[in-house]
Amino acid sequence: MEDRNTSLSARSAVLSALLGSHPPRLPARHLVRIGALFGIAEGTVRVALSRMVAAGDLTQQGGRYTLSERLVERQARQDESRDPHTRPWDGTWEVAVVTAERRAPADRAAFRHTMSALRMGELREGTWLRPANLVREWPETVTAQCTLIDGRPHGDPTPLLWDLDGWAAEAGRLERALDRADGLAEGFLVSAAVLRHLLADPLLPAELLPAGWPGAALRARYDAFDHRYREVLRAHMEG
């Protein structure tokens, strides 16, 4: 018999559950109960777990599954998006210009992913920038491929780099979805959607944001929701 739910795969359910757990480690039976929320059969969840271990997404020991190092880094970015580390902005922008030659397509794709995770915006191919208001270090993958510059654009390039109106509209929709979320399955899906959206927040200084920017409001609303929801979800997994 096919699983009756099509909105979430077994792999996505497992990843979302572990990314939301601190530490990111859960027994198989808890992950099976998460899958059951979406009509995913126990066997389907267990096959997904085996495949994720084989692919290096998870490690398994004593019946418990843990995120791999790569996905632990993703969880750290997710946590940072909920409580970002910023500093006062003095008007300086970070500029990263790709100067490495003959990069393989896979290397270019990995680099773009890294720059997006660093919340850099691409002005044109190979030229990335953002306001220098984040507290972080440049990873070696960036310093090895780029010339880094601190500068001050003559105009505000923000509209060329990010769709702030689109992000704000989706944030408003998600706030309403949090208010309406009914039941564990719907709450799980909305929670995952909010976390993905927060990862896409460019975290700009207030000076560059439009009036009424909903970033802080969405974080506060989600924190309140998550505190209540995690207690109910934990009871379900352990039940």
Side-chain angles (χ1 to χ4, degrees):
M1 181 182 296
E2 292 183 353
D3 295 328
R4 64 179 179 272
N5 178 74
T6 59
S7 62
L8 199 68
S9 68
R11 183 180 186 279
S12 294
V14 167
L15 279 182
S16 293
L18 287 168
L19 285 167
S21 300
H22 293 79
R25 181 184 306 111
L26 289 171
R29 62 185 180 86
H30 286 189
L31 295 167
V32 165
R33 289 185 67 82
I34 291 291
L37 289 173
F38 303 96
I40 303 172
E42 177 177 349
T44 303
V45 174
R46 292 189 180 277
V47 167
L49 289 170
S50 296
R51 289 176 176 172
M52 292 169 75
V53 170
D57 294 327
L58 305 178
T59 61
Q60 188 271 341
Q61 184 175 15
R64 291 179 175 269
Y65 291 84
T66 305
L67 293 178
S68 67
E69 182 178 348
R70 172 177 59 83
L71 289 171
V72 168
E73 292 175 357
R74 175 177 165 183
Q75 185 188 52
R77 294 196 304 271
Q78 180 175 285
D79 293 344
E80 167 74 10
S81 73
R82 294 181 62 178
D83 184 21
H85 293 79
T86 61
R87 61 188 180 189
W89 186 52
D90 65 1
T92 302
W93 285 65
E94 300 170 339
V95 184
V97 181
V98 176
T99 50
E101 298 181 359
R102 297 185 180 181
R103 297 179 300 156
D107 292 336
R108 290 199 299 269
F111 177 80
R112 294 184 69 86
H113 175 76
T114 296
M115 297 304 273
S116 295
L118 290 168
R119 291 180 165 82
M120 301 292 289
E122 190 174 26
L123 185 64
R124 56 172 296 172
E125 186 174 0
T127 302
W128 299 77
L129 62 160
R130 66 156 295 111
N133 70 317
L134 298 183
V135 179
R136 55 164 167 67
E137 299 292 333
W138 291 106
E140 185 178 353
T141 53
V142 174
T143 58
Q145 299 182 60
C146 294
T147 296
L148 302 177
I149 304 166
D150 290 336
R152 294 174 180 259
H154 288 188
D156 178 11
T158 300
L160 301 174
L161 301 169
W162 296 283
D163 177 12
L164 298 185
D165 289 342
W167 195 95
E170 178 65 5
R173 187 193 72 80
L174 288 171
E175 278 200 70
R176 294 189 294 273
L178 287 170
D179 290 335
R180 296 192 305 265
D182 182 24
L184 279 170
E186 185 175 355
F188 192 91
L189 292 172
V190 173
S191 179
V194 171
L195 291 172
R196 285 194 301 271
H197 195 56
L198 291 178
L199 281 169
D201 184 351
L203 299 178
L204 300 177
E207 295 91 331
L208 298 178
L209 291 173
W213 180 251
L218 179 60
R219 286 178 175 82
R221 179 69 188 83
Y222 179 73
D223 285 346
F225 170 88
D226 187 57
H227 179 73
R228 297 190 301 271
Y229 179 77
R230 289 292 164 189
E231 292 182 354
V232 178
L233 183 64
R234 187 178 302 109
H236 169 79
M237 290 191 296
E238 295 175 352

